Amino acid sequence: MANSNIEYAIRRISDGAFLWDDDFNGVYQSWEDDEENASWVDSRDEALRLAELAGLVKNCRLAEGYEITERPWYYEDDLKEDEE
């Protein structure tokens, strides 16, 4: 089995859109329908920092209506076809 890790992004619950930040600095952000266009980061803390830059953090917590979502990722070199 391939080695896996987890990456994190901010998702808006109402429509399932994902936060995208071009340089991870809060200057240019948008909401994207496709999870592949989300800004995926290495930790929940990094995702919360992006949410804070977007004004989505209140009292050190993610605002209601938003969540940190996660997914596994793999190095492409680790993926191998099953031998027949």
Side-chain angles (χ1 to χ4, degrees), residues 15-66:
D15 61 0
F18 295 86
L19 181 63
W20 176 76
D21 187 317
D22 70 336
D23 289 323
F24 299 92
N25 62 8
V27 173
Y28 183 75
Q29 296 176 321
S30 65
W31 291 99
E32 302 294 328
D33 293 333
D34 185 352
E35 75 175 33
E36 292 304 316
N37 293 330
S39 289
W40 292 96
V41 293
D42 294 334
S43 71
R44 294 180 77 77
D45 288 340
E46 288 180 64
L48 192 58
R49 185 187 66 80
L50 285 180
E52 187 171 19
L53 293 172
L56 303 175
V57 175
K58 309 287 185 216
N59 299 323
C60 298
R61 300 187 84 148
L62 194 56
E64 189 174 325
Y66 300 90

Side-chain angles (χ1 to χ4, degrees), residues 1-4 74 78:
M1 184 170 178
N3 294 330
S4 67
Y74 305 90
D78 290 341

